[in-house]
Amino acid sequence: MTQQSVKRPWTEAQLSEARALAGRWLRRTVNFDTASQDAVGGWALAIGDRNPLWLDAGYARRSPFGCLIAPPCWLYAVDFTDVAPKLSGLHAIYAGADWTFLRPVRLNDEIAVRARLLGVEEKQGRFAGPMLLQTGEVLYCNQRDEVVARAVSRVFRTSREEAVRRAKYASITRHRYAAEELRHVPHHRQRRPH
């Protein structure tokens, strides 16, 4: 069976239903909505980013911002940018996002999100044959309704069954480390900021 002869794993009705949502604002579930010192500092420490702009209030006060700010990637804690409505039964593969940061998220800013589907395109790939690419937009706004960032994301929708049938990763085997190899793996201790 050639790539071109693989049956599309969605119906025209499913595709039309998904495309009908393009441009409409969708409901979102917000994980964090306030850039509190605990939320921002906890995120920064968890990802290993010790920049004093998000951790040291005294340093941040003397900066051009005048207060603590959130690392730009903290917005992933508010909403992780995937916009892939409808098409139940199809596997969703997050393919990344392009970010535009417009203003800093300041300490105690309240962040809300608006998300919409921008479009759905049919694609062909080696991994699972026919697939759909859903492109979406997420706007992150502060309590003054100012857009602080915009993310345009891509999500591929594929057939799980076809991906398994093609067995692209079937030849990959798990490496088993010998005790001698493990002795040479460096162990790092997490340091707290000063």
Side-chain angles (χ1 to χ4, degrees):
M1 184 166 19
T2 68
Q3 273 189 338
Q4 297 301 326
S5 65
V6 174
K7 182 180 179 295
R8 295 183 325 175
W10 60 85
T11 66
E12 280 303 320
Q14 286 176 304
L15 183 56
S16 294
E17 190 176 52
R19 283 184 167 152
L21 292 176
R24 292 189 191 172
W25 295 109
L26 306 171
R27 283 186 299 240
R28 298 302 265 191
T29 301
V30 175
N31 298 320
F32 292 105
D33 60 346
T34 301
S36 69
Q37 191 165 356
D38 285 345
V40 169
W43 175 272
L45 292 173
I47 65 169
D49 188 339
R50 303 304 191 255
N51 188 325
L53 281 174
W54 16 97
L55 294 171
D56 184 334
Y59 178 91
R61 253 191 313 280
R62 295 185 302 276
S63 78
F65 302 106
C67 66
L68 289 171
I69 61 171
C73 67
W74 176 79
L75 292 171
Y76 270 118
V78 178
D79 185 286
F80 40 84
T81 77
D82 63 325
V83 181
K86 301 294 182 182
L87 302 167
S88 64
L90 291 180
H91 187 58
I93 301 173
Y94 184 72
D98 295 321
W99 285 85
T100 304
F101 298 100
L102 302 166
R103 53 184 43 91
V105 174
R106 298 175 179 277
L107 183 65
N108 295 320
D109 272 356
E110 295 175 6
I111 304 299
V113 296
R114 293 194 302 257
R116 62 182 167 182
L117 182 67
L118 296 177
V120 182
E121 299 173 65
E122 293 188 55
K123 299 286 186 181
Q124 185 72 27
R126 289 185 307 233
F127 177 68
M131 64 180 88
L132 296 172
L133 173 63
Q134 290 181 292
T135 304
E137 173 187 54
V138 179
L139 300 179
Y140 297 80
C141 302
N142 63 21
Q143 66 276 14
R144 292 175 296 282
D145 206 31
E146 299 167 325
V147 177
V148 297
R150 176 181 186 253
V152 175
S153 66
R154 295 165 303 283
V155 177
F156 283 109
R157 304 302 295 273
T158 67
S159 164
R160 287 181 177 93
E161 294 77 19
E162 184 61 20
V164 169
R165 189 191 71 72
R166 290 177 183 226
K168 180 177 178 181
Y169 301 109
S171 64
I172 296 175
T173 58
R174 180 179 286 184
H175 180 76
R176 299 284 182 202
Y177 288 91
E180 183 60 28
E181 289 176 298
L182 290 174
R183 279 194 277 281
H184 297 289
V185 175
H187 298 281
H188 297 281
R189 285 208 162 116
Q190 209 173 41
R191 291 186 342 202
R192 305 291 288 181
H194 301 293

